[in-house]
Structures are given as C-alpha cells and as structure tokens.
C-alpha cells in the first residue's frame, strides 16, 4: 500500500546485518469487522517465511 501523506511509502530498502531489526509503518485493507490478522514475511525467495498472527486493533 502506498500513501505518502501518511508515511506508507512501500517496502523499506534498508539492508540489515544478521541479528538486527527494523520497524516500518505498514498498511493493508481488511474486511470490515475483521478481528484477527496473519502476516507472512520473507526477505527473498530463498529465505524461510516468518508468520505473525495477532488481533486487529
């Protein structure tokens, strides 16, 4: 999602060293009334996917 007015400018282009982390604002559209979200993240096609699940706030 791109929304420059609110700081949502796409994926970060930052390279990280092993063991480091980064936080970025992220947005998505959900069905109205959704209470749970699952997000799958993989840095590239050769890496394992990390899955995060939690309540929508």
């Amino acid at each position: 999602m791109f929304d420059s007015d609110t700081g949502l400018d796409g994926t970060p282009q930052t390279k990280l060293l092993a063991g480091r982390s980064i936080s970025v604002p992220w947005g998505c559209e959900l069905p109205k009334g959704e209470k749970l979200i699952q997000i799958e993240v993989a840095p590239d096609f050769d890496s394992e996917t990390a899955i995060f699940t939690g309540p929508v706030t």
Side-chain angles (χ1 to χ4, degrees), residues 7-28:
L8 300 175
D9 296 322
T11 58
Q13 301 298 314
T14 304
K15 293 184 180 183
L16 296 175
L17 297 173
R20 302 293 303 207
S21 65
I22 187 173
S23 296
V24 296
W26 205 263
C28 64

Side-chain angles (χ1 to χ4, degrees), residues 28-30 34-39 52-57:
C28 64
E29 184 175 359
L30 299 172
E34 186 64 53
K35 302 287 185 214
L36 185 70
I37 189 168
Q38 175 175 308
I39 299 171
F52 302 93
T53 303
V56 174
T57 56

